Amino acid sequence: MRPFAAAAMLIFALAVAPGCQRDVGPDDEVRAWIRGAIEAAERRDVGDLRSLIASDYADGRGNDKTALVNYCRFLILQHQTLRVFADVEQIELLSPVWARATLRAALAGREVEQAWWETQADFYRFELELVAADGEWRLIRADWARSADR
C-alpha cells in the first residue's frame, strides 16, 4: 500500500467534527465529520483520529480498527507534514444512522502554497461508510483507490 493511500485513510477515517450551533441534518453532520477528520490528520493527532473509528471497523483490505490506527500512527511518524484537499462528490443517507460519502482527495506530504490541482500530490477516490451512535458519527468501512482525476 502506498504511503499516501494510508494517509488518505488516516485523514478521512479519523477526527473530531467541529460542533455546530444550529440544527443540522445528517448530511451536514457527515460533512462536518469529514472536515474534522481532515483537520485532525493535518494536526497529526492519532488520538482524535482513533476516536472517529467505530470499534467494529472492517474494510476490504482486512484492516480492523487496531490495524488502521497503527497504520495511521506509522504514516504520521513517516511524514512530518500532511496536507489534504478534498471534494465531497456525494453523501448518501442509507438510513438515519448510516451514511455513505464519496469524495476525491489530493494528499501531499509537505506544505503546499499553490492550488491543490497544481501541486505534486497523490490523488484518491474514497467511499466512506459512517454509522451514528449516541449522536456521534464513526467510520465503519472505507474503500479507496488511486485516481488519475485531478
Side-chain angles (χ1 to χ4, degrees):
M1 179 182 303
R2 291 185 46 117
F4 284 113
M9 169 95 50
L10 158 77
I11 289 160
F12 292 107
L14 323 161
V16 174
C20 297
Q21 300 276 336
R22 62 181 177 89
D23 288 336
V24 295
D27 183 270
D28 297 318
E29 292 171 355
V30 170
R31 287 179 190 280
W33 184 94
I34 292 169
R35 283 191 309 273
I38 291 169
E39 291 168 6
E42 289 182 340
R43 282 192 323 269
R44 303 164 37 92
D45 191 328
V46 176
D48 279 356
L49 293 173
R50 180 188 306 110
S51 74
L52 296 177
I53 305 171
S55 59
D56 53 347
Y57 174 90
D59 63 36
R61 291 178 167 87
N63 293 312
D64 62 5
K65 179 176 181 171
T66 300
L68 181 60
V69 170
N70 286 337
Y71 197 69
C72 291
R73 184 177 290 112
F74 169 77
L75 287 173
I76 285 173
L77 291 172
Q78 188 177 25
H79 301 283
Q80 290 190 8
T81 300
L82 294 173
R83 282 293 287 139
V84 181
F85 304 91
D87 176 33
V88 177
E89 293 180 343
Q90 178 181 15
I91 293 177
E92 180 181 6
L93 299 173
L94 305 172
S95 81
V97 296
W98 196 283
R100 180 178 298 133
T102 303
L103 50 106
R104 294 178 306 144
L107 307 165
R110 60 184 172 77
E111 283 300 324
V112 178
E113 294 182 18
Q114 67 252 27
W116 65 266
W117 60 86
E118 296 172 352
T119 190
Q120 291 185 348
D122 290 329
F123 294 86
Y124 293 89
R125 181 177 178 84
F126 289 90
E127 277 206 18
L128 307 177
E129 290 188 28
L130 303 163
V131 294
D134 299 324
E136 298 289 331
W137 288 94
R138 300 281 186 265
L139 183 71
I140 190 90
R141 181 176 179 83
D143 292 305
W144 67 95
R146 196 162 170 80
S147 174
D149 294 340
R150 289 183 175 244

